[in-house]
Amino acid sequence: MDQLIATIVLGLFFGAPYALLALGIVLVYKGSRVFNFAQGEFGTVAAFAAYIANFWLPVLVAALVGILVGIAMGLGVERFVARPLANAPKVIMLVATAAVATGAIALQVGAGGGPQLRTFEPLVAGNAFVVFNVAIEWQRVLVMLALGLFALLLYLFFSRTDLGLAVMAASQEPVATDLVGIGTRRMSSLVWGMAGLLGGVTGVLFAGLQPFTPGVVTQSLLVFAFVAAVVGGMTSLPGAVIGGVVLGLVQSFSASYLTRVEVVAENLPNVEWLAVFVLLVAVLALRPSGLLGKEA
Amino acid sequence: MALLEVEELRAGYGSQPVLDGVSFEVEEGETAVLLGLNGAGKTTTVTNIVGVNTPWGGRVRFDGRDVTGMSPPELVRLGVCLVPEGRRTFPELTVYENLRLGAWTRRKDAAGIAASVELVFEYFPRLAERRDQAAGSMSGGEQQMLAIGRGLMAAPRLLLIDEASLGLSPLLAKTVFEVVDLINESGVTVILVEQNVGALRHADRALVMEKGTLVYRGVGDEIRDSTRLRETYLGKA
């Protein structure tokens, strides 16, 4: 019983960063119909900016600088990549965002002084609580709080504001969006800026969890965030949150329970990765539109 | 002074010219019909007036002001609104949400928006019944009503409607044209883009296009005799 509760708590907290990054991926997909492979690097670039700013500035201010850099990167990618390629085939846009990600990582290695580990201190140090021998750090609680806050804000944005409606309209019918006087370009900037914000928050918080290297968010979270987004339905913001949390739970359960099976423990040292893959295949096979998705 | 003055408008796509100097005027309070066969340049004319495309040359004046090359949002604010060909409603949004977005340029005017929604529902009672239904789940005729309603939400002075009757049953087309009459009687100047000669019955002015130029302009009673128009200009395809 203790083990079960600990596993659930761990799963929830380890799924939160996936969900936070997945929110950004879903937002861009919902608003621009683009698979944004640069979402992770909005995070790492923000983390690097915070790390550098922290040489001169206190950690909270440095974190804020990092988040602002994340927003700026989101806006920049919209202006110089997404907008010029708006009418290009989707696959070109997808490759372009992947190019942004690899370019950003190269820049971190080159201009950032090599691939070694760096540390950015957590915004709040220490453990928040311990459940059955599992310690949860304050920083993880912050990630969870950020997830709850942004999920709520995005929900309100899309369900209660005209601006949220306009963003959805722009993704469904760009021509008519211009014709009613909304202006699709501003909506596109808004979406990518918000994605930069979400990525930046993810990166700055994630960098405080453990020492990090160039490309850390892409490497550690992006694939899982994409799986979370797809599992959730790709266009559904609650789906992204649920997808991220489900992923965290699948990982923590397989790590705590499947490893007890001798065959598994001996042959599959990273069984939790395999479990994520099985989950993805199962969702794609049984419910290709995702748990909360409307379209395939 | 005419409300809309189009002077030697030239336009096209890529290097392909479509409009070769189109000139006409529409007076305030009129309903004009822009007639022509497929490929005559009707849609190109209206999309260049409202700023979806940028003209290669010529002038567009609205209410005496040069609006050539302005963006659609700027023109909507001035009171020029196009209901596009193919309806282009926002498929996943509800009827009500579609209408709300139509009023984007005056979104701070809550009372005005509520009054406009009421007016649209009065014109098209069917839309009131489907208020909370996704636009994409409605029939073509209902979507056409919604597209016109959405255009009205901007409280335009000039409403351009591209192919309102295309794909509609004769009965439904008649309903739509009757509402267009009501809209016009309420003081809105209307330009109907049509292949359907029947639209002449609802017009004060007829403009007939052929191969990128205007080949006939007429007003008043002379355009009621549509058989002659049909024989002269529209039956030669």
Side-chain angles (χ1 to χ4, degrees):
Chain A
M1 188 61 196
D2 296 4
Q3 166 101 32
L4 179 67
I5 292 169
T7 306
I8 290 172
V9 171
L10 260 183
L12 292 177
F13 279 93
F14 277 76
Y18 303 150
L20 197 52
L21 200 64
L23 276 182
I25 290 169
V26 167
L27 184 66
V28 167
Y29 187 74
K30 214 173 152 71
S32 303
R33 304 281 143 166
V34 174
F35 283 96
N36 178 25
F37 279 95
Q39 184 69 25
E41 281 321 285
F42 293 174
T44 322
V45 168
F48 265 78
Y51 166 78
I52 293 166
N54 193 212
F55 285 115
W56 299 279
L57 301 168
V59 64
L60 278 176
V61 183
L64 198 65
V65 169
I67 292 168
L68 288 176
V69 168
I71 295 172
M73 188 172 169
L75 292 173
V77 170
E78 191 278 332
R79 180 64 191 80
F80 299 108
V81 180
R83 197 184 296 177
L85 293 177
N87 297 320
K90 289 290 170 205
V91 65
I92 293 195
M93 182 81 90
L94 185 148
V95 172
T97 64
V100 168
T102 47
I105 294 171
L107 202 67
Q108 290 154 25
V109 176
Q116 78 278 11
L117 285 172
R118 294 158 176 83
T119 50
F120 181 66
E121 49 180 305
L123 301 184
V124 185
N127 289 337
F129 57 89
V130 178
V131 263
F132 307 110
N133 292 328
V134 174
I136 297 295
E137 306 99 311
W138 274 113
Q139 189 79 352
R140 290 214 176 266
V141 175
L142 278 186
V143 175
M144 189 61 92
L145 288 176
L147 174 64
L149 176 72
F150 282 109
L152 180 70
L153 287 178
L154 284 172
Y155 168 75
L156 292 176
F157 177 73
F158 280 109
S159 66
R160 298 286 160 83
T161 71
D162 283 348
L163 204 55
L165 271 186
V167 166
M168 290 199 278
S171 77
Q172 292 169 22
E173 258 302 340
V175 173
T177 307
D178 277 325
L179 283 176
V180 298
I182 291 171
T184 41
R185 283 183 182 177
R186 280 162 59 203
M187 293 306 115
S188 175
S189 296
L190 180 69
V191 162
W192 285 83
M194 292 199 297
L197 168 69
L198 285 164
V201 169
T202 314
V204 166
L205 291 177
F206 192 69
L209 284 170
Q210 73 276 299
F212 66 97
T213 56
V216 65
V217 181
T218 298
Q219 216 167 35
S220 313
L221 300 181
L222 187 70
V223 169
F224 297 116
F226 259 106
V227 173
V230 170
V231 166
M234 210 57 211
T235 54
S236 163
L237 293 162
V241 174
I242 292 170
V245 168
V246 165
L247 219 62
L249 288 170
V250 164
Q251 284 191 327
S252 71
F253 270 88
S254 48
S256 348
Y257 291 97
L258 284 180
T259 46
R260 291 178 187 181
V261 183
E262 208 171 307
V263 186
V264 174
E266 277 171 15
N267 298 300
L268 298 166
N270 287 321
V271 67
E272 69 270 21
W273 287 42
L274 184 66
V276 167
F277 175 72
V278 171
L279 170 74
L280 177 64
V281 171
V283 167
L284 289 179
L286 300 174
R287 204 177 149 77
S289 59
L291 297 177
L292 299 180
K294 275 186 236 159
E295 50 189 303
Chain B
M1 182 186 61
L3 184 66
L4 179 74
E5 299 163 86
V6 177
E7 207 178 281
E8 286 299 311
L9 190 66
R10 288 184 301 107
Y13 304 96
S15 60
Q16 184 69 41
V18 176
L19 301 185
D20 182 24
V22 171
S23 304
F24 64 90
E25 295 183 349
V26 175
E27 299 288 337
E28 178 137 37
E30 280 184 341
T31 294
V33 177
L34 186 57
L35 278 169
L37 299 170
N38 261 340
K42 308 183 297 292
T43 296
T44 308
T45 303
V46 290
T47 55
N48 277 279
I49 291 173
V50 304
V52 173
N53 297 310
T54 310
W56 293 1
R59 285 269 156 265
V60 179
R61 265 186 287 273
F62 177 70
D63 203 15
R65 181 169 172 183
D66 189 343
V67 297
T68 320
M70 275 191 184
S71 71
E74 287 173 295
L75 279 155
V76 172
R77 263 177 216 105
L78 290 176
V80 181
C81 189
L82 170 67
V83 177
E85 189 181 13
R87 292 131 203 177
R88 294 188 181 272
T89 52
F90 304 121
E92 290 167 38
L93 303 187
T94 65
V95 166
Y96 179 72
E97 288 168 338
N98 268 272
L99 293 179
R100 268 201 82 83
L101 288 180
W104 181 260
T105 51
R106 54 189 193 117
R107 59 193 179 283
K108 305 225 160 63
D109 176 16
I113 291 174
S116 291
V117 171
E118 278 312 304
L119 184 67
V120 169
F121 285 168
E122 212 172 283
Y123 286 151
F124 299 112
R126 190 87 65 90
L127 294 181
E129 292 165 24
R130 317 239 149 169
R131 189 179 185 280
D132 297 314
Q133 193 172 324
S137 69
M138 301 199 301
S139 73
E142 288 163 344
Q143 289 192 40
Q144 185 63 63
M145 294 175 192
L146 179 57
I148 295 173
R150 186 180 61 188
L152 283 175
M153 292 299 296
R157 289 176 64 193
L158 173 63
L159 186 67
L160 302 99
I161 309 176
D162 197 350
E163 302 273 21
S165 66
L166 192 70
L168 302 191
S169 70
L171 190 67
L172 211 49
K174 185 163 167 281
T175 314
V176 168
F177 282 133
E178 279 166 7
V179 172
V180 169
D181 283 343
L182 292 176
I183 293 168
N184 180 237
E185 279 160 28
S186 77
V188 180
T189 307
V190 178
I191 299 180
L192 292 170
V193 174
E194 280 294 332
Q195 299 191 41
N196 178 353
V197 183
L200 283 171
R201 229 171 297 137
H202 305 268
D204 304 303
R205 179 185 299 268
L207 305 158
V208 181
M209 287 193 79
E210 209 177 84
K211 293 180 186 136
T213 49
L214 274 179
V215 289
Y216 172 86
R217 296 174 185 75
V219 286
D221 288 338
E222 67 173 278
I223 68 170
R224 307 292 168 196
D225 181 13
S226 62
T227 39
R228 196 180 62 84
L229 258 182
R230 198 191 316 247
E231 277 163 12
T232 319
Y233 299 106
L234 299 162
K236 291 194 288 194

